[in-house]
mmCIF file with all atom_site columns, all heavy atoms in Angstrom:
data_model
loop_
_atom_site.group_PDB
_atom_site.id
_atom_site.type_symbol
_atom_site.label_atom_id
_atom_site.label_alt_id
_atom_site.label_comp_id
_atom_site.label_asym_id
_atom_site.label_entity_id
_atom_site.label_seq_id
_atom_site.pdbx_PDB_ins_code
_atom_site.Cartn_x
_atom_site.Cartn_y
_atom_site.Cartn_z
_atom_site.occupancy
_atom_site.B_iso_or_equiv
_atom_site.pdbx_formal_charge
_atom_site.auth_seq_id
_atom_site.auth_comp_id
_atom_site.auth_asym_id
_atom_site.auth_atom_id
_atom_site.pdbx_PDB_model_num
ATOM 1  N N   . LEU C 1 63 ? -10.572 -11.094 -82.907 1.00 0.00 ? 92  LEU C N   1
ATOM 2  C CA  . LEU C 1 63 ? -9.600  -10.766 -81.868 1.00 0.00 ? 92  LEU C CA  1
ATOM 3  C C   . LEU C 1 63 ? -8.522  -11.849 -81.761 1.00 0.00 ? 92  LEU C C   1
ATOM 4  O O   . LEU C 1 63 ? -7.325  -11.550 -81.737 1.00 0.00 ? 92  LEU C O   1
ATOM 5  C CB  . LEU C 1 63 ? -10.326 -10.607 -80.523 1.00 0.00 ? 92  LEU C CB  1
ATOM 6  C CG  . LEU C 1 63 ? -9.466  -10.214 -79.338 1.00 0.00 ? 92  LEU C CG  1
ATOM 7  C CD1 . LEU C 1 63 ? -8.888  -8.808  -79.549 1.00 0.00 ? 92  LEU C CD1 1
ATOM 8  C CD2 . LEU C 1 63 ? -10.274 -10.244 -78.048 1.00 0.00 ? 92  LEU C CD2 1
ATOM 9  N N   . PHE C 1 64 ? -8.937  -13.098 -81.716 1.00 0.00 ? 93  PHE C N   1
ATOM 10 C CA  . PHE C 1 64 ? -7.968  -14.172 -81.470 1.00 0.00 ? 93  PHE C CA  1
ATOM 11 C C   . PHE C 1 64 ? -7.198  -14.583 -82.723 1.00 0.00 ? 93  PHE C C   1
ATOM 12 O O   . PHE C 1 64 ? -6.113  -15.146 -82.619 1.00 0.00 ? 93  PHE C O   1
ATOM 13 C CB  . PHE C 1 64 ? -8.667  -15.375 -80.815 1.00 0.00 ? 93  PHE C CB  1
ATOM 14 C CG  . PHE C 1 64 ? -8.936  -15.130 -79.355 1.00 0.00 ? 93  PHE C CG  1
ATOM 15 C CD1 . PHE C 1 64 ? -10.075 -14.462 -78.947 1.00 0.00 ? 93  PHE C CD1 1
ATOM 16 C CD2 . PHE C 1 64 ? -8.014  -15.514 -78.395 1.00 0.00 ? 93  PHE C CD2 1
ATOM 17 C CE1 . PHE C 1 64 ? -10.310 -14.204 -77.614 1.00 0.00 ? 93  PHE C CE1 1
ATOM 18 C CE2 . PHE C 1 64 ? -8.237  -15.256 -77.051 1.00 0.00 ? 93  PHE C CE2 1
ATOM 19 C CZ  . PHE C 1 64 ? -9.395  -14.599 -76.659 1.00 0.00 ? 93  PHE C CZ  1
ATOM 20 N N   . ARG C 1 65 ? -7.779  -14.311 -83.894 1.00 0.00 ? 94  ARG C N   1
ATOM 21 C CA  . ARG C 1 65 ? -6.998  -14.574 -85.105 1.00 0.00 ? 94  ARG C CA  1
ATOM 22 C C   . ARG C 1 65 ? -6.086  -13.402 -85.424 1.00 0.00 ? 94  ARG C C   1
ATOM 23 O O   . ARG C 1 65 ? -5.092  -13.548 -86.127 1.00 0.00 ? 94  ARG C O   1
ATOM 24 C CB  . ARG C 1 65 ? -7.919  -14.829 -86.307 1.00 0.00 ? 94  ARG C CB  1
ATOM 25 C CG  . ARG C 1 65 ? -8.497  -16.218 -86.315 1.00 0.00 ? 94  ARG C CG  1
ATOM 26 C CD  . ARG C 1 65 ? -9.039  -16.569 -87.671 1.00 0.00 ? 94  ARG C CD  1
ATOM 27 N NE  . ARG C 1 65 ? -9.839  -15.482 -88.250 1.00 0.00 ? 94  ARG C NE  1
ATOM 28 C CZ  . ARG C 1 65 ? -10.338 -15.511 -89.462 1.00 0.00 ? 94  ARG C CZ  1
ATOM 29 N NH1 . ARG C 1 65 ? -10.118 -16.549 -90.241 1.00 0.00 ? 94  ARG C NH1 1
ATOM 30 N NH2 . ARG C 1 65 ? -11.067 -14.510 -89.921 1.00 0.00 ? 94  ARG C NH2 1
ATOM 31 N N   . GLY C 1 66 ? -6.464  -12.239 -84.909 1.00 0.00 ? 95  GLY C N   1
ATOM 32 C CA  . GLY C 1 66 ? -5.758  -11.014 -85.321 1.00 0.00 ? 95  GLY C CA  1
ATOM 33 C C   . GLY C 1 66 ? -4.622  -10.604 -84.413 1.00 0.00 ? 95  GLY C C   1
ATOM 34 O O   . GLY C 1 66 ? -3.911  -9.636  -84.705 1.00 0.00 ? 95  GLY C O   1
ATOM 35 N N   . THR C 1 67 ? -4.451  -11.296 -83.297 1.00 0.00 ? 96  THR C N   1
ATOM 36 C CA  . THR C 1 67 ? -3.354  -10.920 -82.393 1.00 0.00 ? 96  THR C CA  1
ATOM 37 C C   . THR C 1 67 ? -2.367  -12.088 -82.287 1.00 0.00 ? 96  THR C C   1
ATOM 38 O O   . THR C 1 67 ? -2.780  -13.250 -82.350 1.00 0.00 ? 96  THR C O   1
ATOM 39 C CB  . THR C 1 67 ? -3.886  -10.572 -80.986 1.00 0.00 ? 96  THR C CB  1
ATOM 40 O OG1 . THR C 1 67 ? -4.707  -11.649 -80.528 1.00 0.00 ? 96  THR C OG1 1
ATOM 41 C CG2 . THR C 1 67 ? -4.698  -9.296  -80.987 1.00 0.00 ? 96  THR C CG2 1
ATOM 42 N N   . PRO C 1 68 ? -1.076  -11.778 -82.107 1.00 0.00 ? 97  PRO C N   1
ATOM 43 C CA  . PRO C 1 68 ? -0.089  -12.865 -82.029 1.00 0.00 ? 97  PRO C CA  1
ATOM 44 C C   . PRO C 1 68 ? -0.363  -13.768 -80.830 1.00 0.00 ? 97  PRO C C   1
ATOM 45 O O   . PRO C 1 68 ? -0.770  -13.299 -79.756 1.00 0.00 ? 97  PRO C O   1
ATOM 46 C CB  . PRO C 1 68 ? 1.239   -12.124 -81.853 1.00 0.00 ? 97  PRO C CB  1
ATOM 47 C CG  . PRO C 1 68 ? 0.977   -10.727 -82.266 1.00 0.00 ? 97  PRO C CG  1
ATOM 48 C CD  . PRO C 1 68 ? -0.453  -10.456 -82.013 1.00 0.00 ? 97  PRO C CD  1
ATOM 49 N N   . LEU C 1 69 ? -0.124  -15.046 -81.017 1.00 0.00 ? 98  LEU C N   1
ATOM 50 C CA  . LEU C 1 69 ? -0.385  -16.013 -79.952 1.00 0.00 ? 98  LEU C CA  1
ATOM 51 C C   . LEU C 1 69 ? 0.477   -15.732 -78.724 1.00 0.00 ? 98  LEU C C   1
ATOM 52 O O   . LEU C 1 69 ? 0.019   -15.889 -77.583 1.00 0.00 ? 98  LEU C O   1
ATOM 53 C CB  . LEU C 1 69 ? -0.145  -17.441 -80.471 1.00 0.00 ? 98  LEU C CB  1
ATOM 54 C CG  . LEU C 1 69 ? -0.434  -18.570 -79.491 1.00 0.00 ? 98  LEU C CG  1
ATOM 55 C CD1 . LEU C 1 69 ? -1.853  -18.493 -78.946 1.00 0.00 ? 98  LEU C CD1 1
ATOM 56 C CD2 . LEU C 1 69 ? -0.229  -19.916 -80.163 1.00 0.00 ? 98  LEU C CD2 1
ATOM 57 N N   . VAL C 1 70 ? 1.697   -15.246 -78.977 1.00 0.00 ? 99  VAL C N   1
ATOM 58 C CA  . VAL C 1 70 ? 2.574   -14.969 -77.838 1.00 0.00 ? 99  VAL C CA  1
ATOM 59 C C   . VAL C 1 70 ? 1.972   -13.873 -76.949 1.00 0.00 ? 99  VAL C C   1
ATOM 60 O O   . VAL C 1 70 ? 2.050   -13.933 -75.718 1.00 0.00 ? 99  VAL C O   1
ATOM 61 C CB  . VAL C 1 70 ? 4.011   -14.631 -78.331 1.00 0.00 ? 99  VAL C CB  1
ATOM 62 C CG1 . VAL C 1 70 ? 4.042   -13.330 -79.101 1.00 0.00 ? 99  VAL C CG1 1
ATOM 63 C CG2 . VAL C 1 70 ? 4.990   -14.589 -77.163 1.00 0.00 ? 99  VAL C CG2 1
ATOM 64 N N   . VAL C 1 71 ? 1.314   -12.906 -77.583 1.00 0.00 ? 100 VAL C N   1
ATOM 65 C CA  . VAL C 1 71 ? 0.652   -11.835 -76.815 1.00 0.00 ? 100 VAL C CA  1
ATOM 66 C C   . VAL C 1 71 ? -0.491  -12.429 -75.990 1.00 0.00 ? 100 VAL C C   1
ATOM 67 O O   . VAL C 1 71 ? -0.691  -12.076 -74.817 1.00 0.00 ? 100 VAL C O   1
ATOM 68 C CB  . VAL C 1 71 ? 0.129   -10.736 -77.777 1.00 0.00 ? 100 VAL C CB  1
ATOM 69 C CG1 . VAL C 1 71 ? -0.707  -9.708  -77.035 1.00 0.00 ? 100 VAL C CG1 1
ATOM 70 C CG2 . VAL C 1 71 ? 1.299   -10.056 -78.481 1.00 0.00 ? 100 VAL C CG2 1
ATOM 71 N N   . GLN C 1 72 ? -1.233  -13.349 -76.613 1.00 0.00 ? 101 GLN C N   1
ATOM 72 C CA  . GLN C 1 72 ? -2.358  -13.972 -75.894 1.00 0.00 ? 101 GLN C CA  1
ATOM 73 C C   . GLN C 1 72 ? -1.848  -14.783 -74.694 1.00 0.00 ? 101 GLN C C   1
ATOM 74 O O   . GLN C 1 72 ? -2.441  -14.761 -73.619 1.00 0.00 ? 101 GLN C O   1
ATOM 75 C CB  . GLN C 1 72 ? -3.135  -14.879 -76.848 1.00 0.00 ? 101 GLN C CB  1
ATOM 76 C CG  . GLN C 1 72 ? -3.836  -14.116 -77.969 1.00 0.00 ? 101 GLN C CG  1
ATOM 77 C CD  . GLN C 1 72 ? -4.456  -15.046 -78.996 1.00 0.00 ? 101 GLN C CD  1
ATOM 78 O OE1 . GLN C 1 72 ? -4.931  -16.120 -78.674 1.00 0.00 ? 101 GLN C OE1 1
ATOM 79 N NE2 . GLN C 1 72 ? -4.442  -14.630 -80.256 1.00 0.00 ? 101 GLN C NE2 1
#
Side-chain angles (χ1 to χ4, degrees):
Chain C
L92 182 65
F93 283 85
R94 282 197 315 175
T96 52
L98 183 55
V99 66
V100 173
Q101 294 173 34

